Amino acid sequence: QFGRTEVIDNTLNPDFVRKFVLDYYFEEKQNLRFDVALFGAQDFLGQAFVALGEVIGSQRGRLERPLTGVPGKRCGTILLLAEELSNCRDIVTMQLCANKLDKKDFFGKSDPFLVFYRSNEDGTFTICHKTEVVKNTLNPVWQPFTIPVRALCNGDYDRTVKIDVYDWDRDGSHDFIGEFATSYRELSRAQSQFTVYEVLNPRKKCKKKKYVNSGTVTLLSFSVESEFTFVDYIRGGTQLNFTVAIDFTASNGLPSQPTSLHYASPYQLSAYALALKAVGEIIQDYDSDKLFPAYGFGAKVPPDGKISHQFPLNNNVENPSCAGIEGVLESYLQSLRTVQLYGPTNFAPVINQVAGIAAQVTDGSQYHVLLIITDGVISDMLQTKEAIVTASSLPMSIIIVGVGPAEFEAMEELDGDEVRLSSRGRYAERDIVQFVPFRDYVDDSGNQVLSMARLAKDVLAEIPEQLLSYMKTRDIKPRRADPE
C-alpha cells in the first residue's frame, strides 16, 4: 500500500483532494492498483488497475476507468488526474563583467575566470559552473551562460552561492584573486538593474590595513525561463507513433526449428516477440489509437515471391496498422507462416518509409518511434547512414535491438553516442538511434519478465531526451492542455 485518500462522508461521487507523489520513469512499466472501500466497515466497493503511463498519456492527464471486483455488480467509475511537479525546472541565463581586478601576472595583466559554488546542507561547497578565461585584462567581460536553478541552489532560493575569481595559469596553479557571496534570490532581484559585488581576498584584508577590495564584479544581465519536460509535451497533446520493423532474413533460421531466432515454443516467446512486447507495451500507453504500423524486411512475399524490405505484416498495403501490441504479434506470427525468409538485410527502405510520414507533420503534435529488430549485419550500410542523417532533422527516433549471437559493430556506429553519425559530408542533426544487443538483457534464471523490463529500461531511456532535443531545435513549446 502506497497511501490512502481522506474519507468523504455521505456521497456516491467523492472528489478526493489528497495527492500522492510518485516518481515517474518513461522507460518503465509502472503498474498501479486503486481500491475503493467504505470507511469503518471497510466494505470493498471495487478496484481499478492502470499503468502510470496510461494516466500521463491520456488526454489532459485525465483517465477514467470502470471499477471492478464485485461479481454481478456495477461498481461505478474512478477518474484519475496526473500533473507533474515543477520542482525547480527553471534555467537561468546570466552575464557578468569585472572591473579593476588585482594584477597577478609578472608579464602582462591577469587572465581572469569565475568559479561558482553551490552550498550544501553540511556547510561544504560544490562547484556548479566555471566561466571561460578572458586573457590579459583586469576588466574582463565574460560570455553569457546558462545553468539550471537546481544546479545553482538545489531549489533553495536563499542558499549561499559563492563565487571565486581566479587568474588562470597554464600549469593549473591558478592564482586566487578574491571571492564574494550571493544567493539566487539576490541575483534574481538584479534583473532590472546592474548589481555590483566587491571581490575580497581574506588574506590581503588581514595583512593590509588600507585594503579595500581586489576589484568588483558586476551582474550585467539575469533572466529566467522554464525548461519544458517530456511530460509537458505529452500532456500538451504530442502523440507517440510506434512503428515496428522485423528482420525476416534467412540467417535467422527456419521458424519451425528450435534453433531459429523466430522459433516460438509452447512455453516461451521468441527473442523477437520478447523485444517487441518489452518496448511496445510501454510505448502503447502514449498512443491514443493503439494502432501500430508493422513491417517485415528481407523476405520473399506472396503471391509473386518478390523480395521486399517493407512488407506489411498484416498483408494490407493500404493500412499496415495492427491493433495494439497483441495485434502486431499476431500479424508477425502469421507472416512467419506465409513468407520465405531470404535476404539481404536492408534498413534504409523502412527508415525512409517512416521518415516520409514524420516529415508530413513537424509542428510537435506527432513524434515517431521506429523499432527495428534484427539478427545480423546491415547490407545497405551507406544507404542506412544516409537515411538516418536525413531523419535526424525530423520528429522521430530509431531503436535497434540486435538478437542472436552475431557481432554488431556496425550498429554501434549508427548509435551516435560516441561519434556523431555522418554521411557524404553531412552530419546528423541529432542523435536519434539507440542500439542494444538483446543478449545483454537475458536474465540468467530464464525470467522473461525481468529480461523484458531490463531491455525496455535501456532502449527507451533516451526517447524523452531525443523528443526534447527535436522540440528545442525547432523552438516548439508544449501546447496548453485544454481547459476543463
Side-chain angles (χ1 to χ4, degrees):
Q1 184 183 112
F2 185 80
R4 292 190 181 197
T5 69
E6 74 279 17
V7 176
I8 298 182
D9 292 331
N10 196 31
T11 179
L12 298 179
N13 301 291
D15 186 4
F16 298 107
V17 175
R18 185 171 300 164
K19 298 179 180 180
F20 301 100
V21 179
L22 299 170
D23 290 326
Y24 164 69
Y25 306 97
F26 166 73
E27 65 271 19
E28 293 182 9
K29 188 82 171 178
Q30 296 172 259
N31 293 313
L32 307 173
R33 188 186 87 196
F34 294 88
D35 290 354
V36 183
L38 286 177
F39 181 69
Q42 299 294 322
D43 289 340
F44 179 72
L45 298 180
Q47 62 186 187
F49 296 86
V50 301
L52 182 56
E54 289 182 275
V55 186
I56 292 171
S58 60
Q59 190 174 17
R60 304 198 310 274
R62 296 164 55 90
L63 182 69
E64 190 169 333
R65 277 289 168 84
L67 292 169
T68 61
V70 181
K73 184 178 179 182
R74 294 180 63 183
C75 303
T77 60
I78 185 170
L79 177 64
L80 305 168
L81 294 90
E83 63 181 35
E84 186 178 24
L85 297 179
S86 60
N87 195 20
C88 204
R89 282 165 24 195
D90 292 345
I91 55 175
V92 168
T93 300
M94 67 176 92
Q95 184 178 22
L96 300 100
C97 70
N99 189 44
K100 296 182 179 178
L101 294 176
D102 285 351
K103 180 177 179 295
K104 289 290 184 179
D105 293 340
F106 187 77
F107 298 105
K109 298 178 181 177
S110 292
D111 304 318
F113 68 97
L114 303 177
V115 181
F116 285 71
Y117 299 85
R118 178 186 68 244
S119 61
N120 302 314
E121 297 288 348
D122 60 0
T124 60
F125 288 88
T126 301
I127 293 177
C128 58
H129 182 74
K130 288 183 180 180
T131 68
E132 79 281 10
V133 177
V134 182
K135 292 292 189 72
N136 196 32
T137 180
L138 302 181
N139 304 294
V141 179
W142 290 282
Q143 292 294 318
F145 67 91
T146 299
I147 183 172
V149 171
R150 60 181 177 274
L152 192 64
C153 65
N154 204 26
D156 181 354
Y157 292 172
D158 295 309
R159 184 174 295 195
T160 299
V161 176
K162 186 165 78 79
I163 295 121
D164 286 353
V165 187
Y166 283 95
D167 167 44
W168 178 85
D169 284 331
R170 188 180 300 277
D171 62 3
S173 59
H174 310 309
D175 297 317
F176 178 71
I177 295 177
E179 64 184 10
F180 62 96
T182 182
S183 66
Y184 172 82
R185 194 179 300 280
E186 186 176 311
L187 289 166
S188 65
R189 289 182 183 136
Q191 293 186 59
S192 58
Q193 60 184 15
F194 291 170
T195 301
V196 180
Y197 296 94
E198 282 193 291
V199 177
L200 301 175
N201 187 319
R203 286 188 177 181
K204 279 192 171 185
K205 193 173 183 179
C206 291
K207 289 181 179 179
K208 299 181 179 180
K209 292 183 178 179
K210 295 183 178 179
Y211 175 78
V212 178
N213 59 47
S214 295
T216 60
V217 168
T218 302
L219 180 64
L220 296 175
S221 63
F222 184 95
S223 61
V224 185
E225 63 179 357
S226 290
E227 187 176 35
F228 296 117
T229 68
F230 174 75
V231 174
D232 287 330
Y233 287 97
I234 296 300
R235 284 180 57 97
T238 297
Q239 284 289 305
L240 293 188
N241 299 304
F242 184 48
T243 302
V244 179
I246 294 178
D247 186 337
F248 281 79
T249 55
S251 55
N252 286 283
L254 287 173
S256 58
Q257 299 297 317
T259 54
S260 172
L261 293 168
H262 283 300
Y263 179 73
S265 78
Y267 309 106
Q268 63 180 20
L269 296 169
S270 69
Y272 279 88
L274 278 174
L276 175 58
K277 283 178 67 70
V279 178
E281 287 188 347
I282 291 177
I283 287 186
Q284 71 177 356
D285 290 340
Y286 301 87
D287 191 317
S288 58
D289 62 13
K290 306 285 189 289
L291 295 175
F292 308 123
Y295 299 93
F297 58 90
K300 289 184 174 181
V301 299
D304 52 14
K306 285 186 177 179
I307 299 172
S308 175
H309 295 291
Q310 55 186 98
F311 61 90
L313 296 186
N314 65 1
N315 203 32
N316 186 341
V317 177
E318 298 298 322
N319 183 13
S321 296
C322 303
I325 296 306
E326 292 305 319
V328 176
L329 277 170
E330 185 180 328
S331 296
Y332 155 62
L333 295 173
Q334 178 62 32
S335 290
L336 285 174
R337 294 189 283 269
T338 58
V339 305
Q340 179 188 348
L341 274 60
Y342 205 73
T345 307
N346 290 353
F347 282 10
V350 75
I351 293 174
N352 288 329
Q353 168 83 7
V354 176
I357 298 170
Q360 295 174 17
V361 182
T362 58
D363 63 358
S365 61
Q366 306 286 325
Y367 194 87
H368 296 260
V369 178
L370 169 61
L371 170 65
I372 301 175
I373 314 175
T374 184
D375 83 313
V377 178
I378 303 173
S379 305
D380 64 339
M381 188 63 174
L382 292 177
Q383 293 89 336
T384 295
K385 289 167 70 173
E386 180 74 11
I388 292 172
V389 169
T390 300
S392 68
S393 64
L394 298 172
M396 70 178 284
S397 293
I398 302 170
I399 298 166
I400 305 174
V401 177
V403 297
E407 295 300 323
F408 295 107
E409 288 93 345
M411 308 294 185
E412 300 287 359
E413 184 181 351
L414 299 180
D415 188 336
D417 286 344
E418 300 297 330
V419 180
R420 192 150 56 113
L421 187 69
S422 64
S423 174
R424 300 179 186 178
R426 286 196 307 147
Y427 281 89
E429 185 178 306
R430 303 178 296 124
D431 172 21
I432 64 169
V433 178
Q434 171 75 339
F435 167 74
V436 297
F438 183 75
R439 58 175 174 260
D440 291 357
Y441 299 88
V442 177
D443 183 64
D444 293 336
S445 67
N447 185 328
Q448 290 194 332
V449 174
L450 192 55
S451 297
M452 290 165 61
R454 288 174 175 171
L455 176 70
K457 186 171 177 124
D458 270 16
V459 299
L460 293 175
E462 292 186 11
I463 298 296
E465 285 303 318
Q466 289 175 359
L467 182 147
L468 289 173
S469 72
Y470 174 79
M471 302 298 185
K472 193 167 185 178
T473 57
R474 297 296 182 278
D475 195 27
I476 299 172
K477 294 179 172 54
R479 297 173 180 174
R480 292 184 178 273
D482 295 332
E484 300 273 333

